[in-house]
Amino acid sequence: MLLFAPIRWAFKLVYFAVLAAIVYVVVSGYQVVSASHLPTSAASAPRSQAIVVLGAPAVGTAPGPDYLARLEQALALYRAHSAPEVVVTGSPALAGSPGEVTVGVDWLVSSGIARSSLSSVVADDAASALEQVAATLPAHASVVVVTDAIDALWTTGAGSKAGLVVHVSPAVGSERAFYQQFDQLWRQATGVAVGRLIGYVNTPWAAG
């Protein structure tokens, strides 16, 4: 019987490790939901050095619904003088596509923001984009990041890790009950849980 004692202990250790991991992710999920309850009023955003729009899918040369909501929020923040500059981020363009960044910049220009007040960052994921934004601004620069409400905790963590002071201003209409976006909540919860341990750049599935 003593021969099997180490095996039993190994199974117990694995069991408790898995249980701890599940509890950790569940707690992270609760924190994700709690952090998603943010005001969308542009007037509530603090004065910062830049407004950063995290990219979202475009439909041809027009922003998709989620992207449009983010761009509209960025426009409202700019008009409320939250920051003098808007940084549009997005994934690299595919062949035959103008790309998220181009679509976003063109939309903001057509809405009245001067190109001199716009800059762009092309990156494979949001964490890398925030690192690039941080590299162009002074250390510990304050930024207002526009993304979906459910992404707030991950975005704050990723931005802080990059050296930014992040204030999330969610797009209007992006906050929904957690059971209506369970897949996204799961991605965010695991992204936050893993990102805190090994870095947010290693959680591309959670990038807003």
Side-chain angles (χ1 to χ4, degrees):
M1 296 295 290
L2 289 175
L3 213 65
F4 294 102
I7 297 175
R8 286 198 299 270
W9 275 108
F11 276 116
K12 285 182 179 179
L13 286 174
V14 170
Y15 169 78
F16 284 115
V18 171
L19 182 62
I22 292 172
V23 171
Y24 179 45
V25 171
V26 169
V27 171
S28 296
Y30 173 79
Q31 293 173 331
V32 166
V33 173
S34 297
S36 70
H37 303 309
L38 292 169
T40 57
S41 169
S44 66
R47 177 75 178 175
S48 299
Q49 287 170 275
I51 299 161
V52 181
V53 186
L54 295 188
V59 181
T61 59
D66 289 344
Y67 198 13
L68 179 60
R70 295 183 188 188
L71 292 169
E72 289 174 339
Q73 183 71 4
L75 179 62
L77 289 164
Y78 182 80
R79 288 175 172 171
H81 306 291
S82 295
E85 176 188 4
V86 181
V87 183
V88 181
T89 75
S91 302
L94 300 174
S97 168
E100 297 171 4
V101 168
T102 300
V103 170
V105 168
D106 287 348
W107 188 92
L108 290 170
V109 168
S110 69
S111 299
I113 298 182
R115 286 193 181 271
S116 59
S117 298
L118 294 167
S119 60
S120 60
V121 166
V122 177
D124 291 326
D125 57 74
S128 299
L130 290 170
E131 287 187 340
Q132 289 189 46
V133 170
T136 66
L137 295 173
H140 307 297
S142 175
V143 295
V144 181
V145 181
V146 182
T147 185
D148 290 350
I150 196 71
D151 304 330
L153 186 60
W154 184 92
T155 301
T156 301
S160 298
K161 192 70 174 178
L164 298 168
V165 177
V166 175
H167 309 280
V168 175
S169 183
V172 174
S174 66
E175 183 178 347
R176 298 186 293 275
F178 73 91
Y179 55 81
Q180 294 178 315
Q181 48 184 346
F182 188 78
D183 288 349
Q184 194 170 359
L185 172 58
W186 170 252
R187 291 196 299 272
Q188 290 297 310
T190 54
V192 167
V194 174
R196 286 169 168 168
L197 296 175
I198 63 173
Y200 291 87
V201 292
N202 298 307
T203 60
W205 67 87

